[in-house]
Amino acid sequence: MQNPRKIEFGSDCLELLISSLLLEYPNEGCALLIGDKKTINSVTNQEIWEIDTIWPCCNIWEPETFKSISWLIEKDTYDIQDLSRENRFAIDPQEQLHANRWARENELLILGSAHSHTSSQAIPSKLDIKMSIPNSLLVIVDQFGQAKIWWMGRERNSEPFELPFLQVAI
């Protein structure tokens, strides 16, 4: 699957996303991005991904709960005990199921996820990359409310790249 050509946030979605993520400070906030894919060039299959619903989620990160992923964590970069909700996030699987069900009922798709970085730039960390969902969007909002969108490729270790986005008034 190739990355989308353009990302559009409907009406107030971007403001809602940024404010809901920053409200969780000093913890990282997290959310799911719900919308639709529109083909803009049938020959090349280029798509516009339209985000029109933000699904704020609870950050359920707990080091004890996530010890099973310690194999993902590079020992020279992180110690699982040093990771907390202030520098890590995990979306509740029950919320993911509810969001998926709601999206299907409304003929929409989960296009990706979002989270805040409370003390670093809006750039995916090594752990963000390793734990990302392949072929999806990852929005990161920094402590100053600046958002960046990243395309997370097919391979979990592949380098993400930043995508341009628009806010569309509906």
Side-chain angles (χ1 to χ4, degrees), residues 9-69:
F9 282 91
S11 60
D12 296 332
C13 284
L14 185 58
E15 286 88 6
L16 173 64
L17 176 63
I18 291 169
S19 63
S20 69
L21 295 178
L22 293 180
L23 277 172
E24 298 300 317
Y25 185 84
N27 295 329
E28 287 194 0
C30 51
L32 294 171
L33 310 170
I34 300 175
D36 202 5
K37 300 175 185 178
K38 307 274 191 218
T39 302
I40 57 172
N41 186 330
S42 59
V43 175
T44 62
N45 285 328
Q46 291 180 332
E47 294 179 321
I48 295 175
W49 287 21
E50 299 173 339
I51 300 166
D52 59 19
T53 303
I54 303 301
W55 191 285
C57 298
C58 295
N59 182 351
I60 62 163
W61 178 268
E62 289 293 338
E64 293 302 313
T65 306
F66 290 93
K67 274 192 175 179
S68 63
I69 64 155

Side-chain angles (χ1 to χ4, degrees), residues 66-133:
F66 290 93
K67 274 192 175 179
S68 63
I69 64 155
S70 61
W71 60 273
L72 281 172
I73 299 168
E74 295 176 16
K75 299 299 182 208
D76 59 333
T77 308
Y78 302 103
D79 180 345
I80 193 132
Q81 295 305 322
D82 294 335
L83 298 175
S84 71
R85 290 183 189 169
E86 291 182 13
N87 57 17
R88 192 67 228 134
F89 80 100
I91 296 174
D92 185 338
Q94 289 294 335
E95 287 185 276
Q96 292 178 46
L97 288 172
H98 291 304
N100 259 312
R101 185 175 299 123
W102 183 89
R104 275 195 316 273
E105 289 169 358
N106 289 279
E107 298 180 2
L108 297 169
L109 303 164
I110 304 248
L111 300 175
S113 63
H115 69 280
S116 56
H117 279 184
T118 58
S119 61
S120 64
Q121 297 178 0
I123 298 171
S125 67
K126 288 181 182 180
L127 195 52
D128 288 338
I129 294 167
K130 286 184 177 184
M131 293 183 69
S132 68
I133 298 168

